Amino acid sequence: MFTPDADGDTTPVGGPDDDLIQLLTPDGERVHHESYSARVDHLDTEALQSLYRDMVMVRRFDTEATSLQRHGELGLWPPCLGQEAAQVGSGRALGVRDYVFPSYRELGVAWTRGVDLRKTLHLFRGEDHGGWDPAEHNFHLYTLVIGAHTLHATGYAMGIQRDGDVGTGNPDRDRAAVAYFGDGATAQGDVNEALTFAAVNDAPVVFFCQNNQWAISEPAQQQSRVPLFHRGRGFGVPSVRVDGNDVLASHAVMLEALERARSGGGPTFIEAVTYRMGAHTTSDDPTKYRTRAEEEMWRRRDPIDRLHALLVREGESEQFFTELEAETEQFGAEIREYCRAIAAPGTERMFEHVYASENPQVSADRAWLAEYEEGFATEEASA
Amino acid sequence: MSTTVESSTERITLGKAINLGLRRAMERDPKVMLMGEDIGPLGGVFRVTDGLQKDFGSERVVDTPLAESGIVGTAIGLAVAGYRPVCEIQFDGFIFPAFNQITTQLAKMHYRSRGAVHVPVVIRVPYGGGIGAVEHHSESPEVLFAHTPGLRVITPATPADAFTMIQQAIASPDPVLFFEPKARYWDKAEVDVSATDSAIGGGDGLNTARVARPGTDVTVVAYGPAVATALRAAAAAEADGISLEVIDLRAVSPIDFPTIAASVRRTGRLVVVHEAPTFLGAGGEIAARITEECFYHLEAPVLRVGGFHTPYPVSKIEEEYLPNLDRVLHAVDTVLSH
Ligand SMILES: Cc1ncc(C[n+]2csc(CCOP(=O)(O)OP(=O)(O)O)c2C)c(N)n1
């Protein structure tokens, strides 16, 4: 089991973190890395502020949604609390033409794609099975069946390849596909088949695994005996392990992986080591399976605090933080208002889009229900 | 001193009844083992396996990797090695990664080996709607398995049945899909928890339907989550002077046609209720068979009340998708108007 030692530290799956790529320490100090520093060295205060704002806004949204669920406005919510750096860092590396296949807590990635986060509420309010148009921001609908979408991402990448949108050297043309999934997902057959297809086809796809340590109640050790990024290697896919609570490192490794994919170098597997600080979903009770001490240890590695520390270190003014605080307050109010205003769909919604063409079976059922409901209306009128 | 076994009843939920049934089966046979996602310290997302790992250890209550094909596939191997694995699939919508193992392997191994190989695997699946869940968490795929020869498909509707049927499923030499009506997990009733081994039998209890409520005017056949709906309809109909006989099928494969036919010969009318889509569903099979067998006794066509030919809708409108009280009564009125 995943028990912290005396210092509250934990050993990740498969051994110590020797390979972990880190560019920003938990204390907010920049560290040099031979291969990756160059990718983020140019980020100035403004760029860092912008990454910080992204993470803070995403966390605010997440906190608001969690509380909306508690107030009965949502049926369920899967918090991404603690995973903001992995998501924002990697998401900000994406180009507009790249296409993302998310799981179901990829709020930070959605934000970097420009998706109106409020649209993610529809699914969890039980009002829609999606909530946004995937084509609008190249951000696919959430996938709730674990790992299924890693195959979709791989297939999409094979499509890009066939379209000749890989390795042309034209930055406006070359593109890639990305699948986001969890540590537990790596045990699924689909994910392993996706890695096989991606590898043998040199498909321009990035597998971004957020190892948030838990698959509901099961620690990552119960899914794997090797570090998760070794999974990729087993398929012949270049693989890296990155500190997922380090927004700079997450950004840098994703930039590299996307560059490889777009230039025709094939797939990459990234394991972002992070932590799900909240519950798996609002239906889950983490006190049943993990310790306070472990949660405490990860709280000390909070991805937002870490960038905060760097900004302060670099002389960021209080004003920036106060203004941002005001902005999040405003954002919170908008989220609540939007959520409460989502109206329940009419029953006819049930029959829409079952097929893309006219279908007699659906039409008959739709007509039957309409007539049946009409009958009630008539009864009431005559009563 | 007298040694008569006192029958001891407890008022428990359907979920707890399955928990107790699993416990009894594990006590009875050391080869019984449980496997699934989050079934250990967490006790499953519905807490059906609560406390079992603590008492039987992690060798017998196994938290598996997140891989349904792996769960069922290894359960098959374990069964071949002489174990009696009981797999938990976390939600109905997540059984499909295991569909291949269930339908191409589990269902056929006994047949292919001409009886030489036994695969007494039980697969527990919380299923059905009514809990306001997001997509893939409310599905009714039972007929996909019932359509596959070699599998038994059963579903309890009451805590008492849940307690015995899970033990019968485990005792059965055949593979059993044990569908648990998740909306009824919290329903409470008296259960005789002293039921002896002989009451469990060798799994032959799995063929018999139960008359849940006797009646004379219309036979209503339901199973799993729909039984409670049918019973509420019967209570409502009674107020209007209509007597419904409610049959709880218990098994969707095989279906107990004799019990249904005997009832229909008396009532002359039949309504079948289930949550799964009516199109090519269990209701269609029952309607056809009963029409064949009871043609001269039927006063009206057999009607079906079930899901529409659409994927399970979003939870805000699932009440309109599910066969509710009004739709059952509407069908009853219709068959009576003939
Ligand atoms: C095929 C499938 N099996 C089971 C589930 C139920 N389930 C939902 S999330 C989850 C854990 C996922 O863990 P992980 O892949 O690590 O991702 P995380 O939620 O931690 O981000 C499980 C078992 C599912 N959604 N799909």
Side-chain angles (χ1 to χ4, degrees), chain A residues 263-323:
Chain A
S263 64
T268 303
F269 185 101
I270 296 170
E271 175 193 359
V273 179
T274 178
Y275 192 71
R276 171 200 10 110
M277 296 205 297
H280 169 70
T281 67
T282 43
S283 311
D284 173 43
D285 173 12
T287 63
K288 289 232 171 204
Y289 54 81
R290 69 188 190 191
T291 63
R292 271 278 152 80
E294 180 189 312
E295 291 176 10
E296 243 344 283
M297 181 202 83
W298 284 94
R299 223 180 303 282
R300 290 199 299 275
R301 296 183 182 178
D302 186 288
I304 295 184
D305 291 352
R306 193 182 295 202
L307 189 54
H308 188 277
L310 175 65
L311 285 168
V312 169
R313 202 178 278 275
E314 298 201 343
E316 186 59 73
S317 70
E318 251 324 296
Q319 195 193 347
F320 166 71
F321 296 111
T322 357
E323 278 176 15

Side-chain angles (χ1 to χ4, degrees), chain A residues 70-304:
Chain A
R70 298 289 179 227
H71 286 97
E73 298 289 341
L74 299 175
L76 186 79
W77 183 253
C80 84
L81 189 76
Q83 301 181 216
E84 295 88 351
Q87 297 196 7
V88 167
S90 62
R92 286 281 296 267
L94 296 158
V96 275
R97 278 169 55 75
D98 297 328
Y99 195 100
V100 171
F101 289 84
S103 302
Y104 44 76
R105 66 169 100 248
E106 265 66 88
L107 210 55
V109 187
W111 169 269
T112 64
R113 297 307 281 162
V115 174
D116 179 351
L117 293 193
R118 297 175 305 182
K119 293 188 176 178
T120 63
L121 299 174
H122 291 254
L123 170 67
F124 297 103
R125 196 172 160 88
E127 189 272 333
D128 203 305
H129 283 315
W132 60 91
D133 175 2
E136 209 177 318
H137 301 280
N138 279 3
F139 186 76
H140 200 71
L141 297 182
Y142 277 176
T143 298
L144 269 62
V145 179
I146 299 294
H149 60 296
T150 56
L151 281 164
H152 311 158
T154 303
Y156 190 93
M158 290 159 65
I160 291 171
Q161 219 171 16
R162 280 164 176 68
D163 288 347
D165 290 352
V166 175
T168 68
N170 175 356
D172 293 331
R173 173 139 195 200
D174 291 344
R175 57 202 210 103
V178 182
Y180 282 87
F181 53 98
D183 40 289
T186 65
Q188 284 287 351
D190 276 3
V191 176
N192 290 272
E193 293 185 27
L195 284 162
T196 301
F197 273 71
V200 303
N201 289 295
D202 288 323
V205 54
V206 179
F207 296 94
F208 194 92
C209 172
Q210 292 168 82
N211 177 0
N212 66 7
Q213 315 302 327
W214 292 93
I216 309 189
S217 75
E218 299 191 6
Q221 283 87 341
Q222 235 150 327
Q223 315 289 342
S224 180
R225 284 291 188 246
V226 298
L228 293 183
F229 73 115
H230 285 191
R231 290 243 206 257
R233 289 185 183 167
F235 291 89
V237 172
S239 305
V240 293
R241 165 181 266 182
V242 65
D243 184 337
N245 283 11
D246 171 348
V247 71
L248 298 182
S250 300
H251 188 61
V253 298
M254 191 60 158
L255 281 171
E256 182 197 55
L258 287 168
E259 200 172 279
R260 176 176 298 127
R262 293 188 201 118
S263 64
T268 303
F269 185 101
I270 296 170
E271 175 193 359
V273 179
T274 178
Y275 192 71
R276 171 200 10 110
M277 296 205 297
H280 169 70
T281 67
T282 43
S283 311
D284 173 43
D285 173 12
T287 63
K288 289 232 171 204
Y289 54 81
R290 69 188 190 191
T291 63
R292 271 278 152 80
E294 180 189 312
E295 291 176 10
E296 243 344 283
M297 181 202 83
W298 284 94
R299 223 180 303 282
R300 290 199 299 275
R301 296 183 182 178
D302 186 288
I304 295 184

Side-chain angles (χ1 to χ4, degrees), chain B residues 41-57:
Chain B
L42 188 68
V45 293
F46 289 106
R47 308 291 184 265
V48 172
T49 55
D50 203 21
L52 296 177
Q53 191 183 61
K54 192 164 95 342
D55 295 342
F56 293 97

